[in-house]
Amino acid sequence: MKNSNLVLVTGASSGIGEEISRKLCEAGFDVILTARNKEKLVKLRHELSNSGYVSHVIPCDVSSESDVKKLFSETKEIGFVESIVNNAGFGKFSSIDKVATKDWDDQINTNLRGSFLITREFVRDMIQEKRGRIVFINSVAGKYGYPYSAAYVSSKFGLRGFSESIRGELREHNIKVISIHPGAINTNFWDNVDADFPKSEMLDPKCIADFTLQAITSP
Protein backbone atom coordinates (compact mmCIF):
# COMPACT_ATOMS: atom_id res chain seq x y z
CA MET A 1 0.00 0.00 0.00
CA LYS A 2 1.18 3.52 -0.77
CA ASN A 3 0.88 4.94 2.72
CA SER A 4 -0.08 3.50 6.11
CA ASN A 5 0.41 6.63 8.20
CA LEU A 6 -2.95 8.06 7.23
CA VAL A 7 -5.66 9.55 9.41
CA LEU A 8 -9.12 10.48 8.12
CA VAL A 9 -10.73 13.44 9.88
CA THR A 10 -14.40 14.18 9.21
CA GLY A 11 -15.74 17.69 9.71
CA ALA A 12 -12.20 18.94 9.09
CA SER A 13 -13.12 22.28 7.53
CA SER A 14 -13.49 24.21 10.80
CA GLY A 15 -13.58 24.12 14.58
CA ILE A 16 -12.44 20.95 16.35
CA GLY A 17 -11.83 19.06 13.12
CA GLU A 18 -9.52 21.77 11.82
CA GLU A 19 -7.51 21.82 15.05
CA ILE A 20 -7.29 18.02 15.17
CA SER A 21 -6.06 17.92 11.58
CA ARG A 22 -3.41 20.53 12.30
CA LYS A 23 -2.24 18.73 15.44
CA LEU A 24 -2.00 15.37 13.67
CA CYS A 25 0.04 16.89 10.85
CA GLU A 26 2.40 18.47 13.38
CA ALA A 27 2.84 15.01 14.94
CA GLY A 28 3.91 13.51 11.62
CA PHE A 29 0.68 12.02 10.30
CA ASP A 30 -0.64 12.47 6.78
CA VAL A 31 -4.25 13.61 7.04
CA ILE A 32 -7.22 13.16 4.73
CA LEU A 33 -9.42 16.21 5.22
CA THR A 34 -13.11 15.70 4.56
CA ALA A 35 -16.22 17.83 5.03
CA ARG A 36 -18.89 19.27 2.77
CA ASN A 37 -17.19 22.62 2.25
CA LYS A 38 -14.45 22.05 -0.34
CA GLU A 39 -13.34 25.70 -0.33
CA LYS A 40 -12.52 25.63 3.40
CA LEU A 41 -10.79 22.27 3.06
CA VAL A 42 -8.58 23.55 0.26
CA LYS A 43 -7.70 26.63 2.30
CA LEU A 44 -6.64 24.42 5.23
CA ARG A 45 -4.62 22.15 2.93
CA HIS A 46 -2.74 25.17 1.57
CA GLU A 47 -1.95 26.32 5.10
CA LEU A 48 -0.70 22.86 6.06
CA SER A 49 1.30 22.53 2.86
CA ASN A 50 3.00 25.87 3.46
CA SER A 51 4.13 24.47 6.83
CA GLY A 52 5.59 21.39 5.15
CA TYR A 53 2.78 18.96 6.06
CA VAL A 54 1.01 16.41 3.87
CA SER A 55 -2.78 16.47 3.61
CA HIS A 56 -5.40 15.45 1.07
CA VAL A 57 -8.79 17.00 0.36
CA ILE A 58 -11.78 14.79 -0.44
CA PRO A 59 -15.16 16.53 0.06
CA CYS A 60 -17.91 14.33 1.48
CA ASP A 61 -21.32 14.56 3.11
CA VAL A 62 -20.99 11.85 5.76
CA SER A 63 -24.76 11.37 5.92
CA SER A 64 -24.78 10.25 2.27
CA GLU A 65 -24.01 6.57 1.68
CA SER A 66 -22.91 7.21 -1.91
CA ASP A 67 -20.61 10.05 -0.81
CA VAL A 68 -18.99 7.85 1.84
CA LYS A 69 -18.43 5.03 -0.65
CA LYS A 70 -16.83 7.51 -3.06
CA LEU A 71 -14.66 8.86 -0.23
CA PHE A 72 -13.45 5.35 0.60
CA SER A 73 -12.69 4.59 -3.04
CA GLU A 74 -10.60 7.75 -3.39
CA THR A 75 -8.67 7.13 -0.17
CA LYS A 76 -7.68 3.69 -1.47
CA GLU A 77 -5.61 5.52 -4.09
CA ILE A 78 -3.70 7.24 -1.28
CA GLY A 79 -3.17 4.35 1.12
CA PHE A 80 -4.48 2.43 4.11
CA VAL A 81 -6.45 4.61 6.54
CA GLU A 82 -5.20 3.33 9.88
CA SER A 83 -7.04 5.89 12.01
CA ILE A 84 -10.41 7.61 11.73
CA VAL A 85 -11.59 10.64 13.69
CA ASN A 86 -15.39 10.74 13.49
CA ASN A 87 -15.82 14.41 14.28
CA ALA A 88 -18.50 15.71 11.89
CA GLY A 89 -21.55 16.93 13.76
CA PHE A 90 -23.76 19.86 14.68
CA GLY A 91 -26.59 20.84 16.99
CA LYS A 92 -29.79 22.90 16.85
CA PHE A 93 -31.52 23.64 20.11
CA SER A 94 -35.12 24.41 21.05
CA SER A 95 -37.97 23.13 23.20
CA ILE A 96 -39.29 19.75 22.08
CA ASP A 97 -42.59 21.17 20.82
CA LYS A 98 -40.70 23.39 18.37
CA VAL A 99 -38.23 20.83 16.98
CA ALA A 100 -38.71 20.61 13.21
CA THR A 101 -38.65 17.09 11.79
CA LYS A 102 -35.95 18.13 9.33
CA ASP A 103 -33.75 19.45 12.16
CA TRP A 104 -34.20 16.15 14.02
CA ASP A 105 -33.36 14.10 10.93
CA ASP A 106 -30.36 16.26 9.97
CA GLN A 107 -28.77 15.89 13.41
CA ILE A 108 -29.35 12.14 13.62
CA ASN A 109 -28.14 11.68 10.04
CA THR A 110 -24.94 13.69 10.49
CA ASN A 111 -24.00 12.95 14.09
CA LEU A 112 -24.97 9.26 14.24
CA ARG A 113 -25.63 7.85 10.76
CA GLY A 114 -22.52 9.61 9.43
CA SER A 115 -20.25 7.93 11.98
CA PHE A 116 -21.89 4.58 11.23
CA LEU A 117 -21.41 4.93 7.46
CA ILE A 118 -17.78 6.04 7.77
CA THR A 119 -16.92 3.33 10.29
CA ARG A 120 -18.62 0.53 8.38
CA GLU A 121 -16.88 1.45 5.12
CA PHE A 122 -13.36 1.81 6.50
CA VAL A 123 -13.33 -0.86 9.21
CA ARG A 124 -13.24 -3.70 6.68
CA ASP A 125 -9.67 -2.86 5.71
CA MET A 126 -8.75 -2.47 9.39
CA ILE A 127 -10.07 -5.95 10.13
CA GLN A 128 -8.11 -7.35 7.22
CA GLU A 129 -4.93 -5.55 8.33
CA LYS A 130 -5.50 -6.44 12.01
CA ARG A 131 -4.87 -2.87 13.12
CA GLY A 132 -6.69 0.41 13.36
CA ARG A 133 -7.97 3.20 15.59
CA ILE A 134 -11.43 4.75 15.52
CA VAL A 135 -12.03 7.93 17.51
CA PHE A 136 -15.48 9.37 18.16
CA ILE A 137 -15.72 13.03 19.15
CA ASN A 138 -18.83 12.70 21.26
CA SER A 139 -20.00 15.16 23.94
CA VAL A 140 -21.12 15.36 27.55
CA ALA A 141 -24.53 15.33 25.84
CA GLY A 142 -23.82 11.67 25.15
CA LYS A 143 -23.91 11.05 28.90
CA TYR A 144 -26.44 13.58 30.24
CA GLY A 145 -29.87 14.51 28.90
CA TYR A 146 -29.71 18.29 28.68
CA PRO A 147 -33.03 20.13 28.13
CA TYR A 148 -33.81 21.93 24.87
CA SER A 149 -31.41 19.54 23.10
CA ALA A 150 -33.52 16.45 22.39
CA ALA A 151 -32.26 15.75 18.87
CA TYR A 152 -28.63 16.51 19.66
CA VAL A 153 -28.68 14.50 22.89
CA SER A 154 -30.37 11.58 21.16
CA SER A 155 -27.74 11.52 18.43
CA LYS A 156 -24.91 11.61 20.97
CA PHE A 157 -26.44 8.94 23.23
CA GLY A 158 -26.79 6.82 20.09
CA LEU A 159 -23.17 7.47 19.19
CA ARG A 160 -22.09 6.40 22.66
CA GLY A 161 -24.02 3.13 22.32
CA PHE A 162 -22.64 2.54 18.83
CA SER A 163 -19.04 3.04 19.96
CA GLU A 164 -19.46 0.83 23.03
CA SER A 165 -20.94 -1.95 20.90
CA ILE A 166 -18.18 -1.99 18.30
CA ARG A 167 -15.44 -1.56 20.93
CA GLY A 168 -16.12 -5.08 22.19
CA GLU A 169 -16.64 -6.39 18.69
CA LEU A 170 -13.39 -5.05 17.21
CA ARG A 171 -11.01 -5.69 20.09
CA GLU A 172 -10.12 -9.16 18.79
CA HIS A 173 -9.00 -7.55 15.53
CA ASN A 174 -6.52 -5.25 17.29
CA ILE A 175 -8.68 -2.21 16.53
CA LYS A 176 -8.88 0.44 19.25
CA VAL A 177 -12.13 2.38 19.69
CA ILE A 178 -12.01 5.63 21.66
CA SER A 179 -14.77 8.05 22.65
CA ILE A 180 -14.07 11.60 23.78
CA HIS A 181 -16.86 13.41 25.67
CA PRO A 182 -15.93 17.11 26.02
CA GLY A 183 -18.10 19.87 27.38
CA ALA A 184 -18.72 23.14 25.54
CA ILE A 185 -15.88 24.05 23.18
CA ASN A 186 -15.16 27.54 21.88
CA THR A 187 -15.89 27.07 18.17
CA ASN A 188 -18.34 28.43 15.58
CA PHE A 189 -20.73 25.67 16.75
CA TRP A 190 -22.12 28.29 19.16
CA ASP A 191 -22.45 31.19 16.73
CA ASN A 192 -26.19 30.69 16.28
CA VAL A 193 -26.93 29.36 19.76
CA ASP A 194 -28.45 31.54 22.46
CA ALA A 195 -26.07 30.32 25.20
CA ASP A 196 -26.13 31.98 28.63
CA PHE A 197 -22.42 31.50 29.39
CA PRO A 198 -19.39 33.25 27.85
CA LYS A 199 -17.17 31.59 25.29
CA SER A 200 -14.17 32.50 27.44
CA GLU A 201 -15.26 29.79 29.89
CA MET A 202 -15.46 27.11 27.18
CA LEU A 203 -12.76 24.57 26.33
CA ASP A 204 -10.14 25.54 23.76
CA PRO A 205 -10.45 23.28 20.69
CA LYS A 206 -6.66 22.81 20.85
CA CYS A 207 -7.20 20.84 24.08
CA ILE A 208 -9.45 18.38 22.26
CA ALA A 209 -6.86 18.11 19.50
CA ASP A 210 -4.25 17.22 22.14
CA PHE A 211 -6.53 14.56 23.65
CA THR A 212 -7.22 13.11 20.22
CA LEU A 213 -3.53 12.85 19.36
CA GLN A 214 -2.85 11.17 22.70
CA ALA A 215 -5.68 8.69 22.11
CA ILE A 216 -4.35 7.77 18.67
CA THR A 217 -0.69 7.45 19.66
CA SER A 218 -1.03 5.73 23.05
CA PRO A 219 -0.36 1.96 23.12
Side-chain angles (χ1 to χ4, degrees):
M1 291 187 175
K2 297 178 183 178
N3 191 338
S4 62
N5 195 37
L6 280 171
V7 183
L8 171 69
V9 180
T10 70
S13 60
S14 63
I16 304 169
E18 180 180 348
E19 288 297 337
I20 290 173
S21 300
R22 190 176 289 113
K23 175 63 68 173
L24 290 171
C25 282
E26 291 171 357
F29 290 93
D30 294 354
V31 178
I32 297 173
L33 310 167
T34 191
R36 290 177 297 181
N37 192 317
K38 181 178 180 179
E39 183 178 345
K40 287 185 177 180
L41 292 175
V42 170
K43 181 179 178 181
L44 176 58
R45 182 183 63 189
H46 286 162
E47 175 196 325
L48 295 170
S49 178
N50 289 338
S51 298
Y53 304 130
V54 177
S55 63
H56 309 267
V57 166
I58 307 177
C60 175
D61 177 354
V62 297
S63 69
S64 164
E65 185 170 5
S66 60
D67 264 26
V68 171
K69 288 183 179 297
K70 182 173 180 289
L71 168 68
F72 175 71
S73 177
E74 293 187 29
T75 63
K76 293 282 280 186
E77 298 300 314
I78 302 169
F80 168 58
V81 175
E82 189 170 0
S83 300
I84 297 169
V85 180
N86 282 301
N87 166 73
F90 77 102
K92 294 190 73 172
F93 308 103
S94 68
S95 58
I96 185 59
D97 59 303
K98 295 179 181 177
V99 176
T101 302
K102 184 180 185 305
D103 289 343
W104 174 279
D105 289 345
D106 286 349
Q107 288 172 85
I108 297 295
N109 288 340
T110 300
N111 302 355
L112 180 55
R113 172 185 163 95
S115 289
F116 155 67
L117 291 174
I118 289 286
T119 300
R120 184 186 64 179
E121 201 65 36
F122 283 84
V123 79
R124 297 176 180 127
D125 277 0
M126 293 182 179
I127 291 173
Q128 182 176 338
E129 292 287 324
K130 291 292 183 182
R131 58 194 168 104
R133 294 171 293 263
I134 305 171
V135 180
F136 295 94
I137 306 299
N138 201 308
S139 165
V140 290
K143 294 185 174 183
Y144 305 101
Y146 293 99
Y148 305 103
S149 313
Y152 184 72
V153 165
S154 296
S155 70
K156 293 299 187 177
F157 262 71
L159 190 61
R160 178 184 175 191
F162 176 63
S163 63
E164 289 184 4
S165 176
I166 65 171
R167 182 175 295 117
E169 181 178 338
L170 297 176
R171 183 176 288 115
E172 66 179 285
H173 300 291
N174 193 36
I175 299 169
K176 183 165 65 171
V177 178
I178 307 110
S179 292
I180 299 174
H181 292 261
I185 304 166
N186 187 358
T187 67
N188 56 7
F189 178 97
W190 298 98
D191 288 350
N192 298 314
V193 177
D194 185 19
D196 59 356
F197 49 93
K199 283 190 172 184
S200 60
E201 295 181 8
M202 297 181 182
L203 286 167
D204 188 320
K206 292 180 180 179
C207 293
I208 309 306
D210 289 338
F211 294 147
T212 304
L213 175 62
Q214 181 181 1
I216 287 176
T217 57
S218 64

